[in-house]
Amino acid sequence: DNGYKINFIEIDGDDEVRVNKFQEKYFDNPNNDPKKKTIDGFPTIILVKDEQVIEFDANPTVETLTKFLTTVV
């Protein structure tokens, strides 16, 4: 146990309001500026740890997700 608790939040890619709120909060991109970080594909898996926003950049399988979580958490 390393003191971290993982919460999973699913945001439907068609729900523009929730996608935009996430981008505004975590990517500092309130106007969906294409020059800044945006969610541009689905599924997109992002881990928010303390002040870090870490994007999972692999095919999501049990093995790759487990490796991702054990590496960054």
Side-chain angles (χ1 to χ4, degrees):
D1 183 358
N2 60 10
Y4 283 99
K5 178 181 175 184
I6 296 177
N7 294 314
F8 175 80
I9 301 169
E10 181 177 3
I11 300 173
D12 185 332
D14 293 327
D15 187 342
E16 290 184 30
V17 171
R18 290 189 71 203
V19 170
N20 288 339
K21 282 183 181 181
F22 182 91
Q23 292 181 149
E24 181 178 329
K25 181 174 182 176
Y26 294 108
F27 297 156
D28 190 27
N29 193 2
N31 299 317
N32 212 11
D33 181 347
K35 293 178 185 163
K36 291 187 175 185
K37 179 79 177 133
T38 60
I39 295 173
D40 56 5
F42 300 98
T44 297
I45 299 171
I46 298 170
L47 176 73
V48 178
K49 178 185 174 190
D50 301 323
E51 299 296 317
Q52 287 182 291
V53 178
I54 307 159
E55 189 168 352
F56 175 74
D57 191 25
N59 183 30
T61 65
V62 171
E63 182 180 336
T64 58
L65 282 169
T66 300
K67 185 175 181 181
F68 174 67
L69 290 173
T70 57
T71 302
V72 298
V73 176

